[in-house]
Amino acid sequence: MARNLLGIADLSPEEVYALLERADALADGATPQRLAGRLQANLFFENSTRTALSFGIAAGRAGVEVVTFPTEASSLSKGESLLDTARTVEALGADVLVVRHRDAGAPGRVAAAIGAAVINAGDGTGEHPTQALLDALALRRRFGGLDGLTVAIVGDLRHSRVANSNMLLLPGQGVRVLAAGPTALLPDVLPPGVEVVRSLDEAVSRSDAVMTLRVQRERLEDALDLSAIDYHREWGLTAARLAGAKPELAVMHPGPMNRGVEIADEVADDPARSLVLEQVRLGVPARIACLEWLLT
Ligand code: NCD
């Protein structure tokens, strides 16, 4: 049975730590293992910029051949099911399928149907484990370690697979996680070790890093009764709102950013605080480490 990376539960805290050690070394210039002869198939049924590109680049650095499934132009439009598509891709020789899909659980269903490894690259409101790994890597490199840090996750946690994976990964590495956002955008149940705080100011003042999230309007069941302007006033990260922060506070965002809504330009582009592009950069070593873990 192949290993899969469907969610953080597929990794013990020790395995997370080992992956971060390896990704850290890769980020410092260590040579990736040669995984030549292996084939990765990218199946992105939802849009992606950072994740799709960095999985492609990571594979290239490790010598893995990549095919990108043309989700628009394929037989899916003729009614072929996701599972038959996955079986077809496996029959063509794929060793690992990188799957993004709007339905939570879709990558897991694929993994159950085939023998090749499956990486969840974001499933609806489910998980996004490689994003949480690269976020943890960014924190570790900024602060020298994770144990003892406090990280606030702010905004639309209810629909965020990025938040879900971070809330499962970080407490296992000794990080205190705070959750803050409009009540309608907070999950009904939070994982153990995550504390809800009521205001952005409390989240900011207590934290070493604040991770802010996009409001996922495409996943809202009911209209949000907050306009973008009201949202920005109450939950937007602005220079003024960061006045009470620790001097070393770092700001994170998984992208895509809605500038002027959850984050102001002056914060997104603040070279002292913003880790946004560092997160993007570290997606490559984090994903190389995942490919090594899955394919060797
Ligand atoms: C996000 C995603 O698709 O889950 N971005 C990412 O992968 N870096 C977050 C989002 O869509 O807001």
Side-chain angles (χ1 to χ4, degrees):
M1 266 274 286
R3 277 177 171 170
N4 298 303
L5 184 51
L6 302 172
I8 297 303
D10 288 326
L11 301 167
S12 67
E14 294 72 28
E15 285 174 307
V16 169
Y17 189 86
L19 279 172
L20 293 173
E21 286 267 307
R22 176 64 181 152
D24 207 357
L26 289 163
D28 282 335
T31 307
Q33 290 185 46
R34 292 298 297 168
L35 302 171
R38 304 307 189 89
L39 179 62
Q40 169 180 312
N42 288 348
L43 282 73
F44 281 69
F45 300 97
E46 261 192 356
N47 294 342
S48 175
T49 301
R50 286 149 283 270
T51 306
L53 285 173
S54 82
F55 266 112
I57 296 163
R61 298 273 158 85
V64 174
E65 191 184 340
V66 181
V67 286
T68 298
F69 179 73
T71 46
E72 299 295 319
S74 67
S75 291
L76 280 182
S77 59
K78 300 180 189 165
E80 187 161 31
S81 74
L82 172 65
L83 298 187
D84 278 333
T85 302
R87 291 185 189 105
T88 300
V89 170
E90 181 178 39
L92 288 167
D95 300 287
V96 56
L97 276 61
V98 180
V99 179
R100 170 169 286 199
H101 199 280
R102 63 189 300 274
D103 296 338
R109 291 201 301 281
V110 168
I114 63 174
V118 176
I119 301 179
N120 178 2
D123 60 331
T125 58
E127 281 209 53
H128 194 349
T130 60
Q131 178 72 38
L133 283 164
L134 74 87
D135 289 338
L137 181 61
L139 285 164
R140 174 189 154 121
R141 288 174 70 84
R142 168 58 66 108
F143 293 103
L146 295 176
D147 193 26
L149 293 179
T150 299
V151 174
I153 307 179
V154 173
D156 184 2
L157 281 78
R158 188 181 192 79
H159 302 104
S160 175
R161 53 202 181 200
V162 174
N164 285 342
S165 289
N166 269 290
M167 290 191 289
L168 294 170
L169 183 152
L170 291 171
Q173 304 300 311
V175 176
R176 172 183 289 276
V177 178
L178 310 179
T183 312
L185 297 183
L186 290 180
D188 298 327
V189 202
L190 289 163
V194 178
E195 180 191 344
V196 175
V197 296
R198 284 292 152 209
S199 72
L200 179 58
D201 292 332
E202 183 182 349
V204 165
S205 65
R206 288 176 57 189
S207 299
D208 300 293
V210 176
M211 181 184 301
T212 185
L213 303 167
R214 184 175 70 86
V215 178
Q216 308 225 344
R217 298 212 175 255
E218 74 275 26
R219 299 191 213 280
L220 287 177
E221 305 85 32
D222 307 307
L224 184 67
D225 57 5
L226 270 183
S227 69
I229 293 166
D230 291 339
Y231 187 91
H232 187 63
R233 191 180 308 120
E234 207 171 331
W235 297 103
L237 291 184
T238 61
R241 295 306 286 276
L242 299 187
K246 296 181 183 179
E248 65 278 14
L249 178 90
V251 172
M252 304 172 75
H253 194 307
M257 292 189 284
N258 281 323
R259 289 167 176 267
V261 185
E262 73 272 11
I263 192 164
D265 285 337
E266 78 256 15
V267 175
D269 302 330
D270 178 350
R273 291 207 191 278
S274 176
L275 291 182
V276 174
L277 291 176
E278 181 69 357
Q279 290 170 267
V280 175
R281 255 177 238 119
L282 293 173
V284 173
R287 289 174 173 121
I288 294 171
C290 291
L291 289 174
E292 291 180 345
W293 180 75
L294 284 166
L295 296 178
T296 55

